[in-house]
Amino acid sequence: MDRLPLALVFQILSRLDDSADVGRCRVAWKTFDTLFPDLRSINLHWPLQRYIDLRSRNSSSSSQLSSPLKTIFLNLISNLKVLESVHIGAENLPLDVSNADVEDYGDDMYLTDGAFVNEWLPRVSGTLKSLSISDFWIQSCWRRSEVLSLVSAYCHNLLELELKHAWLSMANVNPMPNLTTLTLEFIRLDDKYLTELNKGFPNLQVLNLIGVKGLKLPMIHLLNLKTCHWTVTDTLPSLTLITPNLITLKLECVRLAAMYIEAPLLSYFHFAIDNVRAISFKTFDNLKSLSLKSSHICSLAAKFPRIETVENLTIESPDLAMGAVENSNFTLKKLLTYFPTVTSLCFNSRAWSKFEASYESFEQFDLDGRKGVQKFRGYLLTVDPPLTFFLVTCVLEQCFNLVDVSLLFRRDVDVHASRRFIYWCTAHWPSVNWRWGTWAEGTEDSWITNGIPNAHEI
Ligand SMILES: *[C@@H]1O[C@H](CO)[C@@H](O)[C@H](O)[C@H]1NC(C)=O
Ligand SMILES: *[C@@H]1O[C@H](CO)[C@@H](O)[C@H](O)[C@H]1NC(C)=O
Ligand SMILES: *[C@@H]1O[C@H](CO)[C@@H](O)[C@H](O)[C@H]1NC(C)=O
Ligand SMILES: *[C@@H]1O[C@H](CO)[C@@H](O)[C@H](O)[C@H]1NC(C)=O
């Protein structure tokens, strides 16, 4: 091993993603240790278990206990010559554990702490391109951090910034025109209208706001934004996006009283909302791919201006909480009246089951067929062969130019039922390109490739 060229050894070391692994390698082999100061990135993550172990060893005075996280990090920083990427994070308690009965007034894991950040950031800021800090919520939730003002003062070449699980002040944030990517996740933000954010990061191309709290009438007004993922977990009176260059938008909200979106170049739009009232969109002239998730699919579709560009339409229904009012009667005809240019249509499992549940209200004898749709994909929840077969008949009769039909069975569906069903469909519509697969929550779809069953196999 000692004869390996140093450049190669350095390559090996650089490919280790996790600084803890780098530490182990340094102990194991002196050459690794010699080359280590040339590494350009730190990626340090503190497992929750380590926090729990340290605390349980000394429960009497937990506030005075210190985890060595900050010490290890400062030691790493002080040894590296040129840093381009710093990612540091503490694993948080699971979201479903109430934090109310966990109190921690320590700051040993408070990573967006201004004093701590000041200890290392100025030294590495000149070369830093990517910075990510994921704080420890039970220590960070009760005090406001000035980390953004420090980052904006020091990191002039920073391109990507990610902050999670912290309470952030927007005071004294200098504009950072070089920053192109910003992610804020589980953040309490002192910027009700997002005016400071728009001013501070005027050239963002990618913005992710996931579960950001503290907003009141937020407006994203960013002229260079291309991609935005915004998950709003509070009920907001209104939300506005004015983004003339936005291409991709994923917007997930619970309840909104009003919303206004002006994004003329938008091409990909994923929109999830439960309660649909005063929504207004300025025209979308470039929308190609639309995915709607709502328990009011048709009322939501009706809010859109007439769009004659959508090619791909995906319909999803949320899992409704017990007792929630369900209002999802939708028919293919209604849906495709709103989006007449769709060529590829996909129903996810919930949407398919809603479709199935309200099949009696179908305009089944309505022969005003849809000739544009060429592809259909449906995620089946159960297979009740006669009923499901009937539904497929409805789809094929209404969309009479369908060429490709993909149906995916839930992975736990009875194999005999699904084979029989496949046989029926392929025998009945031999000219359709059928594609069969299986799906399960949280996994990739998998396709059945071993062909179609013969009659004697059923
Ligand atoms: C427990 O806490 C006491 C007082 O703060 C401290 O002196 C001692 O070192 C701690 N023990 C461990 C195992 O951390
Ligand atoms: C933006 O980046 C360039 C090149 O890295 C640098 O020279 C410039 O000072 C930065 N601008 C600001 C305002 O930080
Ligand atoms: C639409 O979906 C098809 C697959 O069904 C895909 O090949 C195509 O790229 C999609 N088009 C857009 C604009 O997303
Ligand atoms: C949905 O369909 C059911 C059954 O056809 C009907 O009773 C109900 O009134 C419909 N709801 C709406 C909101 O159209």
Side-chain angles (χ1 to χ4, degrees), residues 267-268 288-289 311-312 344 375 377:
S267 296
Y268 303 91
K288 296 247 174 346
S289 189
E311 292 166 10
N312 290 0
S344 176
K375 291 186 182 186
R377 178 181 292 194

Side-chain angles (χ1 to χ4, degrees), residues 435-454:
R435 218 173 155 214
W436 305 97
T438 58
W439 66 275
E441 217 78 59
T443 64
E444 294 246 326
D445 298 341
S446 69
W447 296 100
I448 298 171
T449 50
N450 57 357
I452 292 153
N454 293 317

Side-chain angles (χ1 to χ4, degrees), residues 101-119:
D101 49 359
V102 188
E103 281 186 1
D104 188 337
Y105 298 106
D107 56 12
D108 54 308
M109 292 180 55
Y110 176 33
L111 300 174
T112 55
D113 177 8
F116 169 65
V117 172
N118 237 331
E119 270 185 68

Side-chain angles (χ1 to χ4, degrees), residues 58 61 64-65:
N58 207 332
S61 58
Q64 281 142 36
L65 252 182

Side-chain angles (χ1 to χ4, degrees), residues 117-134:
V117 172
N118 237 331
E119 270 185 68
W120 58 271
L121 190 65
R123 209 180 69 74
V124 302
S125 59
T127 49
L128 209 57
K129 296 209 165 69
S130 167
L131 173 62
S132 163
I133 304 178
S134 180

Side-chain angles (χ1 to χ4, degrees), residues 54 57-66:
L54 281 165
R57 255 184 253 156
N58 207 332
S59 52
S60 54
S61 58
S62 67
S63 64
Q64 281 142 36
L65 252 182
S66 65

